[in-house]
Structure formats: C-alpha cells, structure tokens
Amino acid sequence: MNEKNDQLDIENLNEVLAELQQEVQSIKGDVEKLRIAKLIDRLELFINEMNGVKQDVDQLQQGLTQLRTPTTSKKTNYQPSEYSKLQRMLQSVQTDSSNTTSKKWNNSTTEVTAIHHNK
C-alpha cells in the first residue's frame, strides 16, 4: 500500500509541477507584454517630443528666412528710445544756455594794459 500511496503522491506532485510550469510561462508572457507596452509608451512620448522639436525648428527656419529676405520698405517706424529723447533735450538745453552765456560774455571787453613778472 505504501507503494500505491507513493505512486499517487508522485503523480500529484507531477500534476502540480506541470500546473506551476504553465503558470510561470503565463507570467513570463505577461511580463514580456508589459515590457513591450512600456516600450511603446516611451516611444510615443519620444515621437511627440520630436514633433514639438520639429515644429520649433520649422518656426526658427521661417524666422531666419524672414530675416534674410530684404524688406521692401526700407523706412520703418522709428521710435526713439527714452535715452535718445533725454539726450536731445539735454543738448538743446546746453545749446540754449551756451548761446545765452556767450551773449553775456561777448558784451564786455577786457583790455590788457601791462604784464608784470614776479622775480
């Protein structure tokens, strides 16, 4: 009877081992599918980023093309900077004050009557 029981135990163990092997193979397949799914997700992200980079490059190329082409209207609406405005104001004030000052100094005359040397 021991032999029959041992034989049944061995058969049961063989069945359990076969089921375990099937489950391990199934798990390996699932893991491989997960790896592929992750890889596909990463590739999609990469492709999306590259599309954004391509759009940026296209915009830069358009900007360069616009910079390289000569403008038909050479005269642009020039807006002087605040610094330029202030500089012109200062120059006009200096010019006005120098004209006023020179008028005052030009009216009086200085006459040199003698030169003295100290020895």
Side-chain angles (χ1 to χ4, degrees):
M1 229 162 110
N2 278 342
E3 286 182 28
K4 284 186 180 184
N5 285 338
D6 289 342
Q7 188 66 24
L8 285 174
D9 287 341
I10 291 173
E11 288 176 9
N12 285 337
L13 282 175
N14 283 336
E15 287 177 19
V16 168
L17 280 175
E19 289 174 9
L20 282 174
Q21 284 178 341
Q22 287 177 351
E23 286 183 30
V24 166
Q25 291 301 323
S26 173
I27 290 171
K28 282 183 180 179
D30 291 343
V31 167
E32 193 62 33
K33 287 177 188 175
L34 284 174
R35 286 182 184 163
I36 290 173
K38 283 183 181 180
L39 180 62
I40 290 171
D41 289 342
R42 288 181 181 167
L43 283 172
E44 285 177 353
L45 285 173
F46 178 75
I47 289 169
N48 290 337
E49 286 180 24
M50 288 299 108
N51 284 334
V53 169
K54 183 182 179 299
Q55 288 174 352
D56 291 344
V57 168
D58 289 343
Q59 287 177 351
L60 288 172
Q61 284 178 339
Q62 288 175 354
L64 283 174
T65 303
Q66 288 176 355
L67 288 174
R68 288 181 182 159
T69 56
T71 57
T72 56
S73 171
K74 290 188 178 184
K75 188 170 183 174
T76 59
N77 292 337
Y78 173 73
Q79 294 289 333
S81 67
E82 290 295 319
Y83 175 77
S84 299
K85 289 178 186 177
L86 289 172
Q87 193 173 25
R88 270 191 247 113
M89 289 170 62
L90 180 61
Q91 287 172 350
S92 69
V93 169
Q94 285 175 343
T95 304
D96 289 344
S97 67
S98 67
N99 288 340
T100 307
T101 308
S102 65
K103 288 178 186 175
K104 288 179 185 176
W105 287 104
N106 286 339
N107 290 339
S108 63
T109 57
T110 306
E111 185 176 323
V112 177
T113 56
I115 299 175
H116 296 281
H117 290 282
N118 292 333
K119 288 185 182 182

